[in-house]
């Protein structure tokens, strides 16, 4: 039986969980799979190998890509251009490259610049399974079960390659959907990047106060959940915010307009206006939560 | 053995959980306790009685307060002035009144207006155990275990009355601390009222968009936790925001300044500046979470 070879570059939470999920699936389907971890330094890859996340280690792209069927780029988006430039010369015609980056327009631009006429082999993707945890030790085989993965295919992608990438994510248990790269970035600027920025900013604001200890001393469960995403990985979120700053600036400005409207209600002691705002928000959020429930619950 | 009589006016999550906790404690201590639910309409009180939260029902203050040792006012803060005016004429000299309101300056002002020279009998309090749930059906005897209760005593309170209120909350399992009423309101404007307003505003903003369904369709766990408090009770939060609007406006303005500073970093693609902001926030939040762990964990 032929062996599939999958290369993970950036064996952290995203790449490591992808590897574990595919290994579990391969075992169940009795398929022969080799997962190779690729990186510049051996120490983190040796940890990943000891944890059973990868089978082999490569520290150069020539050997990593030799006979590879699929490459997943799992590093922060700021590192993608350099990584793509390094892998491009060694990319063989039958190998598909995909990624787990949280922004897509910049990743696609980097891929076009680095891969040139091999761009059709790159199928961009974004698994919506972030957590404030990071690192390979946090990887788990069921991270993607019932999570969404958004693919943002390019005109140059073949139907076969797109289907192959969709299939591996479905083997991980994910629900796969598609958006255009720019549409993806606009949507995630709103529902993900903005909330992260807002949570970081609130904690940062309180951290600077002379009575910071008093404030945190009385913070409770509401504050804890509101700011959970402010414990996210600073380098990763720096990269995301910079990469998607145009869409994120638009969302930030829209939100500040909303806050100014809310401020008018508050300053005018407009009880009815505030109650309508709160009722609308609660109803929309509760309808959304209901829509997330599996059928029958 | 003498029977203690406690009156709960506003038998919802806060009042109902207080009643259940004290009943449990009285059972353990073999003390004789009667909990009376007071309200204008019988139906919700009958539900509370059926659930075992209260022992008896009163619909007028004269009978409710007859021989009462302690009264807890558990309604939204907007209703406090009317309730206090109604109970004041029937308040006997040995009865202590306390409350569970989320704001304190306005409640103290209402109490001074309504109670006059009986103001010393009112010991203001705020249990920090909100949840997005509300209503007596959500009440539970362990809601206050290891939660904070902030008392904001008045110069007119006797040491004995203050100690008595502290003791009943400790019997509920709470950790009791003290702040001046205005200091309480400034602290909670920051760590509680502002995050609620921000979460409501974000969901409201997205709910108004033409692509609202698409946005919520891609919202995930980070958004869910960030907006959990936007499922809070609209009427209760309307009252809190209006009552504490001076402190809340100051916090909202400080936050908008922080957002403008963050916007400058983002618009200038200042990666180092953003990373410093994110690192500072994550470190402060993680230090706070560590401080919440019980010793030994």
């Amino acid at each position: 039986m032929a062996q599939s070879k999958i290369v993970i570059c950036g064996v952290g939470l995203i790449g490591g969980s992808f590897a574990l999920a595919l290994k579990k699936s391969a075992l169940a389907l009795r398929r022969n799979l080799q997962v190779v971890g690729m990186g510049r330094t051996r120490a983190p890859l040796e940890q990943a190998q000891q944890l059973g996340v990868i089978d082999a280690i490569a520290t150069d792209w020539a050997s990593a890509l030799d006979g590879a069927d699929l490459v997943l780029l799992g590093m922060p988006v700021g590192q993608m251009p350099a990584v793509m430039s390094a892998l491009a010369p060694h990319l063989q015609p039958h190998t598909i490259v995909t990624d787990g980056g949280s922004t897509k327009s910049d990743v696609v631009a980097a891929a076009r610049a680095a891969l040139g006429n091999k761009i059709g082999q790159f199928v961009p993707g974004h698994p919506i399974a972030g957590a404030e945890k990071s690192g390979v030790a946090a990887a788990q085989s069921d991270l993607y079960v019932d999570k969404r993965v958004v693919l943002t295919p390019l005109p140059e992608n073949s139907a076969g390659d797109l289907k192959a990438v969709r299939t591996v994510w479905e083997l991980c248990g994910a629900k796969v959907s598609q958006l255009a790269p720019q549409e993806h970035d606009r949507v995630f600027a709103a529902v993900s990047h903005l909330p992260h920025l807002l949570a970081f900013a609130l904690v940062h604001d309180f951290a600077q106060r002379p009575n910071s200890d008093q404030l945190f001393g009385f913070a409770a469960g509401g504050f804890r959940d509101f700011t959970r995403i402010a414990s996210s990985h600073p380098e990763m979120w720096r990269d995301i915010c910079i990469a998607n700053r145009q869409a994120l600036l638009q969302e930030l400005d829209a939100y500040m307009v909303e806050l100014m409207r809310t401020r008018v209600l508050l300053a005018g002691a407009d009880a009815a206006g505030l109650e309508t705002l709160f009722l609308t928000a609660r109803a929309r959020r509760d309808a959304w939560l209901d829509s997330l429930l599996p059928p029958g619950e």
Side-chain angles (χ1 to χ4, degrees), chain A:
Chain A
M1 190 164 59
Q3 188 181 55
S4 296
K5 177 177 174 181
I6 290 183
V7 178
I8 312 283
C9 181
V11 189
L13 175 70
I14 293 296
S17 297
F18 183 75
L20 287 174
L22 289 182
K23 279 167 159 284
K24 192 173 174 183
S25 161
L27 200 69
L29 299 171
R30 299 189 182 195
R31 287 185 186 162
N32 203 348
L33 172 69
Q34 188 198 29
V35 177
V36 176
M38 163 70 200
R40 282 169 302 181
T41 50
R42 290 190 68 88
L45 295 172
E46 281 167 359
Q47 185 197 3
Q49 195 169 22
Q50 278 160 15
L51 290 167
V53 172
I54 58 174
D55 304 306
I57 291 172
T59 54
D60 68 284
W61 278 111
S63 58
L65 290 174
D66 183 33
D69 298 287
L70 180 73
V71 180
L72 175 81
L73 305 179
M75 73 287 303
V77 291
Q79 299 172 26
M80 296 264 181
V83 169
M84 287 174 172
S85 296
L87 77 82
H90 308 284
L91 187 60
Q92 295 168 0
H94 80 283
T95 308
I96 305 171
V97 182
T98 188
D99 78 307
S102 306
T103 54
K104 297 272 65 80
S105 303
D106 66 307
V107 169
V108 168
R112 289 194 181 283
L115 301 181
N117 60 10
K118 297 177 182 171
I119 186 65
Q121 293 172 246
F122 178 62
V123 181
H126 175 202
I128 319 302
E132 73 268 42
K133 292 178 191 168
S134 56
V136 68
Q140 48 191 79
S141 65
D142 63 351
L143 182 70
Y144 300 115
V145 172
D146 291 330
K147 298 288 167 39
R148 298 193 79 152
V149 169
V150 183
L151 301 181
T152 63
L154 308 177
E156 294 89 344
N157 292 147
S158 73
D161 284 1
L162 177 57
K163 191 179 172 194
V165 174
R166 174 181 280 270
T167 300
V168 291
W169 280 115
E170 286 171 349
L171 288 173
C172 296
K175 294 179 282 188
V176 181
S177 54
Q178 289 182 209
L179 288 174
Q182 289 196 325
E183 191 176 22
H184 167 280
D185 288 355
R186 282 194 300 268
V187 167
F188 285 90
V191 301
S192 171
H193 309 167
L194 178 66
H196 277 79
L197 200 69
L198 299 179
F200 278 125
L202 186 71
V203 179
H204 182 261
D205 181 6
F206 291 171
Q208 309 297 312
R209 306 278 185 96
N211 67 336
S212 178
D213 286 346
Q214 184 189 46
L215 292 179
F216 284 96
F218 286 102
F223 182 82
R224 188 189 60 233
D225 289 353
F226 185 84
T227 60
R228 179 177 68 77
I229 49 182
S231 286
S232 301
H233 196 275
E235 182 193 355
M236 176 182 158
W237 281 93
R238 174 202 68 189
D239 282 2
I240 290 171
C241 291
I242 295 289
N244 200 26
R245 67 182 179 278
Q246 296 309 332
L248 183 50
L249 281 167
Q250 283 191 18
E251 286 300 331
L252 181 56
D253 290 347
Y255 185 65
M256 286 197 281
V257 170
E258 175 77 22
L259 288 186
M260 284 307 302
R261 285 203 198 99
T262 308
R263 192 190 191 288
V264 169
L265 298 176
L266 194 62
D270 184 344
L274 281 175
E275 188 175 2
T276 300
L277 191 158
F278 297 169
L279 277 167
T280 305
R282 182 169 78 160
R284 187 66 187 87
R285 183 174 187 276
D286 290 352
W288 170 59
L289 289 180
D290 286 346
S291 75
L292 297 180
L293 292 177
E297 288 193 22

